[in-house]
Structure formats: C-alpha cells, structure tokens
Amino acid sequence: LIVRWSFVCKMAKPNLFDQKEAQDNVTYQFQGEDHTLGNSLRYMLMKNPNVEFAGYTVPHPSEPYMNVRVQTVAGTNADEAMDEALDNMSAVCDQVLRTYKKAVKTYA
C-alpha cells in the first residue's frame, strides 16, 4: 500500500462492498499513532477537493491504534488521496525543519 509509511495498514472491508466502492471509501489503521497525526492527516486530506469525508478515531487511549476513514468523489482512489496527504505532511515538516535550521544559524 504505502511502503514508506510502514505503520499504516488498510483494514479489511466486508465482502458486501464491490471493488469500485472499496477504492473510494476506505478505513486505514495506524499503529502507534494518536491525535497528533490523526488531526493533521485529517486536515491535509480535507484540503484535497476530491475528498468528500475524512475523519479519525482513537478507539481507546490504552490501545495503540488510530483509524482514519477516507471517502473520495467517484473516480478518485482513496489510496492516492492518502498518499498525497502524507506527502504534503512530509513537505510541511521539511519546510518547518529548514526554517528552524535557518533561524538557528541566523540567531545563534
């Protein structure tokens, strides 16, 4: 699925969904993650105009899981939307790191 984000696994869907429907309405489970990633990822997903719904839950604080539900418009693959959102988060983190290092160099 998304190799570089090894903590992600797609949850199994019930057999009553056909393959087309399953591609644009998917639940992902992140292991070892919580609200920090969940809310940021939800925000990035909702910035995509092809995403109709994105939400996350942390079932219980003592369980190391966070579930993200993604529903996209017809013809858009949820895996692609998820990959784009994760790439955007990486880009934002890289920019913050560059800005921080530049500021340390300037003011240190």
Side-chain angles (χ1 to χ4, degrees):
L1 173 64
I2 301 171
V3 177
R4 61 187 173 74
W5 296 88
S6 60
F7 50 83
V8 178
C9 65
K10 190 187 291 190
M11 294 178 68
K13 288 178 280 308
N15 292 332
L16 57 107
F17 294 123
D18 65 13
Q19 186 61 31
K20 180 187 176 299
E21 185 177 0
Q23 291 177 349
D24 58 8
N25 195 4
V26 179
T27 299
Y28 301 88
Q29 187 173 76
F30 291 73
Q31 297 177 0
E33 296 298 328
D34 58 12
H35 297 282
T36 305
L37 179 66
N39 197 36
S40 301
L41 186 54
R42 183 201 57 79
Y43 175 79
M44 286 298 186
L45 283 162
M46 289 306 298
K47 287 179 63 100
N48 184 337
N50 293 321
V51 174
E52 291 180 332
F53 174 81
Y56 79 97
T57 61
V58 176
H60 192 275
S62 67
E63 294 179 8
Y65 302 110
M66 186 258 311
N67 301 320
V68 178
R69 182 77 172 175
V70 180
Q71 182 176 337
T72 59
V73 297
T76 303
N77 189 307
D79 289 346
E80 293 170 4
M82 177 63 78
D83 194 36
E84 181 181 332
L86 291 169
D87 286 342
N88 290 342
M89 285 182 60
S90 289
V92 167
C93 290
D94 290 344
Q95 178 61 35
V96 168
L97 183 60
R98 282 192 300 273
T99 302
Y100 172 77
K101 286 181 177 181
K102 183 178 177 183
V104 166
K105 204 180 239 187
T106 302
Y107 298 109

